[in-house]
Amino acid sequence: MIYALLSAVTLTTIGVCDGVQFEKPVRLKAGDELVRVESPGWAAPCLADVDRDGKPDLLVGQFNKGKIRVYKGLGGQKFAAGEWLKAEGSVAEVPGVW
């Protein structure tokens, strides 16, 4: 019974996902600069309304020292220059990332 159900779900899903296409990749800009990540380059981008102004902000996690750069959303898919996320006046770091 379970195998029949999983098979039906799998076949249905394959048909639904068959026509998915992605847009061409683009380099994001924040201010006048390209959004970059530090070496080794394993970034973890995320959109969230951090400052609760109704516009999504771009957060880019950096593998190097576990820092997060925040690009304030300006609307219209535009972002301000990035700043490191700070806690108590210092650049915040996620412990144990490396």
Side-chain angles (χ1 to χ4, degrees):
M1 174 71 173
I2 292 175
Y3 293 115
L5 181 60
L6 288 175
S7 297
V9 169
T10 303
L11 289 175
T12 304
T13 305
I14 290 171
V16 171
C17 295
D18 195 32
V20 175
Q21 293 183 344
F22 294 96
E23 295 290 328
K24 291 183 180 179
V26 296
R27 293 291 307 265
L28 291 177
K29 278 190 165 186
D32 295 327
E33 306 260 335
L34 291 172
V35 174
R36 297 184 179 272
V37 297
E38 294 180 354
S39 182
W42 297 317
C46 172
L47 289 173
D49 188 5
V50 176
D51 55 7
R52 298 182 180 179
D53 65 355
K55 300 172 200 153
D57 306 304
L58 175 65
L59 290 83
V60 180
Q62 306 282 334
F63 185 78
N64 186 17
K65 298 185 180 178
K67 299 182 288 184
I68 299 173
R69 193 175 295 268
V70 179
Y71 299 89
K72 180 174 172 43
L74 303 175
Q77 299 181 354
K78 294 188 179 191
F79 300 96
E83 297 182 5
W84 292 117
L85 179 68
K86 292 186 177 180
E88 298 179 2
S90 298
V91 174
E93 294 183 9
V94 179
V97 172
W98 50 96

